[in-house]
Amino acid sequence: MNTTNSLKKSVTFFEALAIVVGMIIGSGIFLKPGIVLNNAGTPWMSILAWGIGGIITLASALSVAEIAAAIPKSGGLYTYLGELYGGVFGYLLGWVQAVISYPASVAALAIAFATYSGYFLPLNGWQQKLLAVSILAFILIMNVIATKFGGIIQTVATVGKLIPVAGIVGVGLFSNLAPGFGGMETSAAGAGFGVAVLGTLWAYDGWISVTNMAGEIKDPAKTLPKVISIGVIFVIAVYVLFNVAVFKALPYDQIISSPTPGADAAEALFGSGGGAFITAGIIVSVFGALNGYLMTAARVPQAMGENNQIPFSRVLRSVHPKFQTPANALIFQSVLAVIYIFSGTFNTLTDLLVFVLWIFFTMGVFGVFILRKRMPLEKGRYRVPLYPVTPIIGVAGGIYILASTIISDPLRSLVGIGITLAGLPVYYVLSRQKR
């Protein structure tokens, strides 16, 4: 392996766009409508919640896009925080992402793929885990051989996952199976509009991971702002239209009581084959998200290795001499994911770190203010529209998520902070070695 950062500029505009869309749209779009509707209280308020969640996400995305244009380096938010706030903040995010968050998310998605596959081929617990490892191994091999293969998989999977969504939207919008909106209220008493918005924000998560690939995207300073903006706007439209279609296809009480309202809507619209149609769509959707997470996850330990901020930095920063991919970092993330698959700890770990990740994410959005003070705007470089209103909206959304998380689960939030700070001894040891 050679130890220079010679990753190929092989990720095209459409592949980067597929990463954004494919990592946001997972299984949540098929499962969340009932939860958001229950908390919002009425169909129109539910649609409004999806819209407001989308606006907060878009404001954050547009703000981070300016940072990505000014600092078009691999590593994404890890790199931005290090540049804007100091090395220790970037390191703490990188530590959490590389060792716990990303591989645990990869493990969760691999298990989800195997679980949904059980709809067509019944599997026991061990068979599900073996299938999860097998699909992860396939995606690993494709991404090691060429980033281009990972990009192609992402593009195909993103198009594939949109087929059932487009089917439900296209048919559902013109159906009259269920009562019209008409301001009807649900019979269930939800937690309120604020909680409904919070639920949509989780469903919009994932877009920022494309910035991890900046070093491999062609003309990242121009491409990243475009794909982030277009991708998030597209997903907002998809989410709103999908929910409208579900509301027109099903009675409201059924949407709330069902754990799989997307599948129920498909069955109502397309008959008994609708459930299989949606399940196949979820499988493709999860597959695309799994590929996107592994592809982007590896770029964090690879970037940390270049800064000597992770044990075995020389190995993890290496680029494969033939394939020009971060093969060691990809393998590192996959091995950790397999450990989490067999230990069954992936959901616990991701839940514990949600609060911490949103601290760093909010810092990233706020970073555009720091960027404006430190780096004069160059002519022609992307700048966030409606500054400073846009980043203020993004920061406010982040603070809302953090406050809601603390109120709902203060102990888990503290444990997440403890796990994050546990990485500090490693940081100081490695810093001393560098000196």
Side-chain angles (χ1 to χ4, degrees), residues 253-310:
D253 287 345
Q254 183 181 347
I255 297 173
I256 291 170
S257 60
S258 172
T260 55
D264 291 350
E267 191 165 340
L269 294 169
F270 302 108
S272 58
F277 179 61
I278 278 295
T279 303
I282 291 176
I283 291 172
V284 174
S285 186
V286 171
F287 178 80
L290 174 58
N291 179 74
Y293 264 90
L294 182 61
M295 180 193 298
T296 57
R299 275 62 187 179
V300 175
Q302 200 267 341
M304 293 182 76
E306 290 185 351
N307 294 326
N308 293 308
Q309 284 193 331
I310 192 170

Side-chain angles (χ1 to χ4, degrees), residues 195-217:
V195 178
V197 173
L198 186 63
T200 68
L201 288 171
W202 303 137
Y204 282 112
D205 194 24
W207 58 268
I208 198 170
S209 293
V210 71
T211 60
N212 295 356
M213 306 284 295
E216 296 156 86
I217 294 175

Side-chain angles (χ1 to χ4, degrees), residues 5-254:
N5 182 18
S6 53
L7 294 170
K8 293 171 65 176
K9 298 275 188 181
S10 59
V11 179
T12 66
F13 175 90
F14 288 106
E15 288 167 349
L17 183 61
I19 291 172
V20 175
V21 175
M23 291 190 68
I24 298 176
I25 300 179
S27 60
I29 187 173
F30 303 104
L31 308 175
K32 280 278 186 183
I35 297 171
V36 175
L37 174 60
N38 182 36
N39 289 320
T42 70
W44 284 117
M45 292 302 289
S46 177
I47 296 299
L48 182 61
W50 284 101
I52 290 176
I55 290 170
I56 293 172
T57 302
L58 182 60
S60 301
L62 294 172
S63 302
V64 172
E66 180 172 325
I67 301 174
I71 311 173
K73 301 177 183 178
S74 289
L77 192 56
Y78 154 76
T79 300
Y80 307 153
L81 293 181
E83 296 258 357
L84 297 173
Y85 292 94
V88 68
F89 290 100
Y91 165 80
L92 286 175
L93 173 63
W95 152 261
V96 167
Q97 287 183 325
V99 179
I100 304 171
S101 175
Y102 271 132
S105 296
V106 168
L109 287 165
I111 285 291
F113 178 92
T115 302
Y116 285 114
S117 297
Y119 182 92
F120 300 101
L121 182 66
L123 302 168
N124 62 34
W126 273 101
Q127 288 170 333
Q128 284 185 352
K129 290 180 179 180
L130 290 174
L131 177 57
V133 172
S134 298
I135 197 65
L136 174 57
F138 169 76
I139 291 174
L140 168 64
I141 292 169
M142 291 298 100
N143 278 276
V144 166
I145 292 175
T147 299
K148 191 73 178 173
F149 287 161
I152 292 171
I153 290 173
Q154 192 65 29
T155 303
V156 172
T158 300
V159 172
K161 75 171 62 181
L162 291 175
I163 291 174
V165 174
I168 290 176
V169 170
V171 178
L173 290 179
F174 300 100
S175 73
N176 289 302
L177 299 178
F181 283 79
M184 291 180 61
E185 293 188 6
T186 67
S187 61
F193 184 75
V195 178
V197 173
L198 186 63
T200 68
L201 288 171
W202 303 137
Y204 282 112
D205 194 24
W207 58 268
I208 198 170
S209 293
V210 71
T211 60
N212 295 356
M213 306 284 295
E216 296 156 86
I217 294 175
K218 297 174 181 178
D219 196 4
K222 292 184 178 179
T223 300
L224 279 172
K226 289 180 181 178
V227 298
I228 290 172
S229 305
I230 294 171
V232 172
I233 291 171
F234 175 76
V235 172
I236 293 171
V238 168
Y239 279 7
V240 169
L241 292 174
F242 185 85
N243 277 271
V244 172
V246 170
F247 294 153
K248 294 196 71 176
L250 297 175
Y252 307 135
D253 287 345
Q254 183 181 347

